Amino acid sequence: MSSATEQLKKFKTFSPKKLPLEEPLAPGHRACQGCGEVLALRQVMKALGNEVIVVSATGCMEIISSAYPQSAWRVPWLHVAFENAAAVASGVESAYKVMVRKGKIPKKKVTFLAIAGDGGTADIGLQSLSGALERGHDFIYVCLDNEAYMNTGIQRSSSTPYGAMTTTSPPGKKSIGQHTWKKNMAAIAAAHDIPYVATASPAYYVDLMNKVKKASLIEGPAYLHIFSPCPTGWRCAPHDSIQTARLVVQTRIFPLYEVIEGRWKLSRKISKPKPVSKYLKLQQRFRHLTEKDIAFIQARVDKEYEELLARCGLQEGKEVPGKIGT
Amino acid sequence: MAKRIGIEVSLAVSEAVKLADVDVIAAYPITPQTHIVEHLSELVADGELDAEFIPVESEHSAMSTCCGSAAAGARTFTATSSQGLALMLEICYIAPALRLPIVMAVANRSLSAPISIWNDHSDLMASRDTGWIQTVAENGQEAFDLILHAFRVAEDHRVLLPVIVNMDGFTLTHVIEPIEILSQEEVARYLPPYSARMRLDTAKPVTMGPVGVPEVYTEAKKAQDEALKAARPVILEAWEEFGKHFGRYYKPVETYCTEGAETLLITMGSIGETAMSAVDAMRSQGKKVGLVRLRLWRPFPFTEFLEAVKGVKYLAVVDRALGLNGAGGPLATEIKAALYDEEERPYIWNYVAGLAGRDVTVENFVEMADGVEAAAADNLKSDYTIINVRE
């Protein structure tokens, strides 16, 4: 097996003017207005094309795309349960591998994609994901992170950011709301020493699609953590969805990076960051936060960004090699 | 050519899986199932079986992986026991609903707490209404044969349902018995290659496991219920074919010395062999006692069971699990339900015996057969007794 770096030599970037016309996820579905998650999913599917088998965990994207007798899927799609998308994908991928080897089905390049929300990934599905990453199945796992259990009605997850209001982390006299810091799921995936890990945002769609395509070229497990705005759960305007997805990157709250064979690489350095308050104030879920709370969040975001720069071998003020989309 | 050899039953089960030329095995260790997947891992490591051996991180993932594999069109096997089956249970409901023909060996074991690794039917009963076809082996040869039967039934396009082959943990799985191991050619003649009716294929996309809105959920469940009932003739046909090929004929309900019997012992699993010895002993003393053993547990073989107990006065139903419901064991409640519409119903006393590896002896069976007659003579209301309790 050649290295991921060598496999990426075949990689050709998407350009905004020449995006694929195929829509493996059909336009008809039942997502809320302004759903950032379904936009991200559409971009994922456009990047992968039609030779893909999708395993979906229970969650918003499963509900909105598969209510029988309708289906928004133009590619083979399987849903089994909430916490097991990675295990189910392990079975599908292994079945293909052995059936091709035994000559039962024709050999062709098929991509195996598992998708789940942050609950199905960072909480209940973490064990199943960890097992599949450790075993080295050749599949892509995409976490569409809308930062709470949105499908059941906005309950907190371990991916909910500090200070956010959810129905199970309500702010009150004795609570700020979510009182733990967002779990760093991409770093957990990277700690499995898999060939490819990346973060992405639908506001930077070419970057997102390039990362998905890279993930499909690399043999072995790939993990993508995609920031997915949820106007319903975040109490923001549907038309601010993409703006939110852009601001989260511009404020350094959710930096875009890749980890290729253990080498951390920033996709876009935010040299002049916008204040986190600009991002927080677009969303009602943060409206109870005081200036002091926001200052605390700002300090932690700054610190984490510094740590990320160090991991990428960069320091503040220096130029980043490469630009977004490469 | 078939070969009769002395072999541990777990290993014989693995040999049956190998002869079925399985494609994907999901494996997680749990006592007393371990020897089955250990031997399969050796067969794969030695190149004797070309399969993907997936050492998953939990039984929940084992069953999930099996669902993915079967949906992709591969012949799929796993094995479990007790707590492992309990952890799988969520996905055990989904596999038959998605019509995925997975075969699973269950080395029956008690459920916690208190933790116990020994044999009873607590796990079997926990999974009884998941929608799987379930057979129960009495001895090693049956365990071997039922695995091949399971693949043939599960993958039949008239069925497409998963099958559990139950075998008592330790008392069966860890015993060395003389077992006739069939040859690859013989098995190939009985078990056709698996061809999925529908599979995840990019050339012909399908959506599997969609949301069931209230308008369709009931219909989906009715279809599943009908599919399980419709499996019954195929299960019988596959046993009939097995007999024609290999000379061993199996039935859903096995009877022993039932001619002229007034009292019948009812068992499932390996204690049936001890019960036979008890029947022999009682018959030699002129007692009119016989034995009925269930080999098919799901779908419940109503016709054959009612036929087997027709005209008898007393049933001593032996449960190896305690239904914590105030009504005794699950086997007895099932049997009482089966007999409800009969005009002449036998008097039933339910015995819960052999929990977590507690021995059930010939003397115990004699005690049970005598006990049901005595209770009837005393006009006691039909009830249950947990036997061998130290008090």
Side-chain angles (χ1 to χ4, degrees):
Chain A
M1 194 172 89
S2 55
S3 72
T5 317
E6 261 174 53
Q7 286 157 15
L8 285 181
K9 284 180 182 164
K10 288 179 275 182
F11 171 67
K12 287 194 190 108
T13 56
F14 288 105
S15 73
K17 286 183 183 169
K18 286 186 184 169
L19 291 181
L21 293 175
E22 293 122 0
E23 297 283 359
L25 177 71
H29 59 73
R30 301 169 181 213
C32 305
Q33 272 195 342
C35 174
E37 192 166 353
V38 81
L39 289 175
L41 184 58
R42 179 189 173 206
Q43 292 164 10
V44 169
M45 295 315 299
K46 275 181 93 70
L48 289 175
N50 291 325
E51 290 302 319
V52 56
I53 294 175
V54 181
V55 173
S56 177
T58 312
C60 290
M61 291 305 100
E62 170 254 344
I63 297 292
I64 62 107
S65 68
S66 83
Y68 185 86
Q70 292 154 339
S71 173
W73 292 95
R74 290 170 170 157
V75 290
W77 181 93
L78 171 66
H79 163 256
V80 177
F82 183 22
E83 66 281 55
N84 63 354
V88 175
S90 302
V92 176
E93 186 259 354
S94 299
Y96 260 77
K97 201 156 56 185
V98 64
M99 289 194 298
V100 167
R101 190 168 69 226
K102 285 177 159 181
K104 292 183 176 180
I105 55 169
K107 188 175 181 175
K108 63 176 173 179
K109 166 77 181 160
V110 178
T111 300
F112 304 97
L113 172 71
I115 48 174
D118 47 297
T121 302
D123 291 349
I124 196 168
L126 186 55
Q127 175 185 305
S128 153
L129 172 61
S130 176
L133 296 182
E134 181 265 326
R135 292 190 299 271
H137 296 280
D138 186 11
F139 79 123
I140 306 172
Y141 187 98
V142 168
C143 171
L144 295 165
D145 182 7
N146 58 20
E147 303 195 319
Y149 290 82
M150 297 310 182
N151 194 39
T152 43
I154 328 172
Q155 294 86 20
R156 60 83 76 189
S157 79
S158 60
S159 199
T160 301
Y162 174 82
M165 175 204 71
T166 73
T167 56
T168 51
S169 65
K173 283 176 192 161
K174 294 186 175 179
S175 174
I176 188 170
Q178 174 82 350
H179 56 80
T180 55
W181 199 255
K182 184 182 173 78
K183 192 184 271 185
N184 191 343
M185 203 40 238
I188 292 170
H192 286 74
D193 202 17
I194 57 172
Y196 191 79
V197 173
T199 61
S201 160
Y204 299 91
Y205 63 97
V206 178
D207 175 66
L208 185 150
M209 290 175 68
N210 283 334
K211 284 170 173 168
V212 173
K213 196 169 168 190
K214 282 184 189 177
S216 73
L217 290 174
I218 290 168
E219 218 174 304
Y223 177 86
L224 270 105
H225 198 92
I226 304 181
F227 186 83
S228 307
C230 174
T232 308
W234 298 2
R235 305 282 190 249
C236 64
H239 59 256
D240 279 340
S241 212
I242 290 299
Q243 174 66 359
T244 310
R246 187 172 295 118
L247 273 174
V248 81
V249 176
Q250 290 172 340
T251 54
R252 296 175 166 178
I253 294 172
F254 187 85
L256 302 181
Y257 59 87
E258 291 175 304
V259 189
I260 306 173
E261 292 181 316
R263 289 188 307 278
W264 291 62
K265 187 183 167 204
L266 210 56
S267 308
R268 156 172 289 217
K269 191 171 178 193
I270 308 298
S271 301
K272 290 179 186 165
K274 293 187 172 158
V276 296
S277 58
K278 204 167 163 61
Y279 168 79
L280 300 174
K281 284 183 175 164
L282 266 186
Q283 305 164 52
Q284 299 277 307
R285 63 173 172 159
F286 295 116
R287 70 172 169 182
H288 57 282
L289 295 182
T290 62
E291 289 305 316
K292 200 178 150 197
D293 297 331
I294 293 171
F296 173 79
I297 293 170
Q298 181 71 63
R300 174 122 184 203
V301 165
D302 291 345
K303 176 178 153 278
E304 287 194 348
Y305 196 78
E306 284 296 321
E307 285 166 3
L308 178 64
L309 286 181
R311 271 176 167 166
C312 297
L314 301 165
Q315 287 168 319
E316 268 292 30
K318 285 194 178 176
E319 284 301 303
V320 183
K323 60 181 191 326
I324 196 160
T326 57
Chain B
M1 277 294 287
K3 219 169 35 176
R4 196 172 155 87
I5 54 169
I7 185 171
E8 190 188 292
V9 172
S10 289
L11 272 53
V13 165
S14 310
E15 290 291 329
V17 174
K18 183 193 104 176
L19 289 165
D21 191 24
V22 75
D23 297 317
V24 172
I25 300 155
Y28 191 77
I30 184 162
T31 302
Q33 170 281 121
T34 40
H35 290 188
I36 298 174
V37 291
E38 275 173 12
H39 189 54
L40 281 167
S41 73
E42 287 166 6
L43 293 169
V44 172
D46 289 338
E48 287 186 46
L49 168 61
D50 185 5
E52 284 296 305
F53 184 88
I54 312 178
V56 284
E57 84 296 338
S58 78
E59 286 96 346
H60 191 283
S61 282
M63 189 43 62
S64 304
T65 301
C66 286
C67 286
S69 162
R75 182 169 282 174
T76 304
F77 177 82
T78 190
T80 193
S81 196
S82 180
Q83 304 300 120
L85 183 58
L87 183 59
M88 276 183 185
L89 219 49
E90 183 205 13
I91 312 303
C92 282
Y93 278 88
I94 297 172
L98 295 184
R99 308 291 297 273
L100 301 172
I102 301 156
V103 171
M104 173 157 71
V106 176
N108 299 123
R109 170 187 147 186
S110 52
L111 286 169
S112 286
I115 189 164
S116 152
I117 59 165
W118 292 276
N119 162 240
D120 68 29
H121 288 173
S122 305
D123 52 4
L124 184 157
M125 292 305 167
S127 64
R128 70 183 170 153
D129 295 334
T130 50
W132 288 58
I133 292 168
Q134 296 208 35
T135 56
V136 190
E138 186 182 45
N139 55 44
Q141 187 68 58
E142 259 195 62
F144 176 90
D145 292 349
L146 288 178
I147 291 286
L148 298 171
H149 173 261
F151 278 110
R152 173 150 168 160
V153 170
E155 295 169 358
D156 191 303
H157 283 200
R158 294 167 291 172
V159 178
L160 293 176
L161 285 170
V163 180
I164 288 174
V165 179
N166 289 288
M167 53 198 77
D168 287 325
F170 291 120
T171 51
L172 196 53
T173 55
H174 285 52
V175 170
I176 296 172
E177 287 186 20
I179 295 174
E180 190 180 287
I181 306 287
L182 298 167
S183 72
Q184 191 73 70
E185 297 73 37
E186 287 168 318
V187 171
R189 278 198 293 275
Y190 174 69
L191 182 63
Y194 173 42
S195 80
R197 193 164 142 236
M198 204 181 273
R199 67 178 181 90
L200 298 167
D201 179 5
T202 53
K204 208 178 161 192
V206 287
T207 292
M208 286 192 194
V211 175
V213 292
E215 288 77 13
V216 300
Y217 183 89
T218 307
E219 285 68 23
K221 282 292 144 186
K222 181 165 190 277
Q224 193 190 337
D225 188 42
E226 282 173 358
L228 183 62
K229 286 193 251 179
R232 196 175 157 276
V234 185
I235 295 167
L236 305 191
E237 181 191 299
W239 270 330
E240 185 64 27
E241 283 294 312
F242 194 94
K244 281 184 196 160
H245 276 84
F246 312 121
R248 284 188 293 279
Y249 286 88
Y250 291 117
K251 290 179 290 184
V253 173
E254 218 53 71
T255 56
Y256 183 70
C257 293
T258 49
E259 297 83 21
E262 287 185 356
T263 302
L264 292 180
L265 295 164
I266 314 284
T267 64
M268 278 206 307
S270 60
I271 55 165
E273 298 209 331
T274 317
M276 275 191 214
S277 302
V279 167
D280 288 344
M282 287 185 278
R283 281 277 179 174
S284 70
Q285 291 164 12
K287 290 185 189 168
K288 293 175 182 169
V289 179
L291 168 71
V292 168
R293 176 168 68 89
L294 291 170
R295 180 177 285 117
L296 180 64
W297 171 234
R298 283 293 183 270
F300 190 85
F302 291 100
T303 318
E304 292 83 357
F305 179 78
L306 292 177
E307 184 60 35
V309 303
K310 204 169 184 167
V312 300
K313 290 183 181 164
Y314 316 106
L315 296 186
V317 183
V318 190
D319 258 293
R320 298 205 66 192
L322 179 58
L324 297 167
N325 59 357
L331 178 58
T333 47
E334 194 82 21
I335 282 169
K336 285 175 185 171
L339 288 163
Y340 184 79
D341 279 334
E342 298 303 296
E343 275 178 23
E344 285 183 31
R345 292 191 291 259
Y347 178 83
I348 296 175
W349 199 271
N350 178 202
Y351 293 94
V352 177
L355 294 185
R358 177 79 46 98
D359 277 344
V360 189
T361 62
V362 168
E363 291 71 31
N364 290 147
F365 283 111
V366 174
E367 196 184 309
M368 291 186 245
D370 288 345
V372 62
E373 290 182 35
D378 290 346
N379 271 328
L380 294 182
K381 197 177 141 211
S382 171
D383 202 351
Y384 70 99
T385 312
I386 306 173
I387 67 155
N388 280 353
V389 187
R390 293 190 310 276
E391 284 175 306

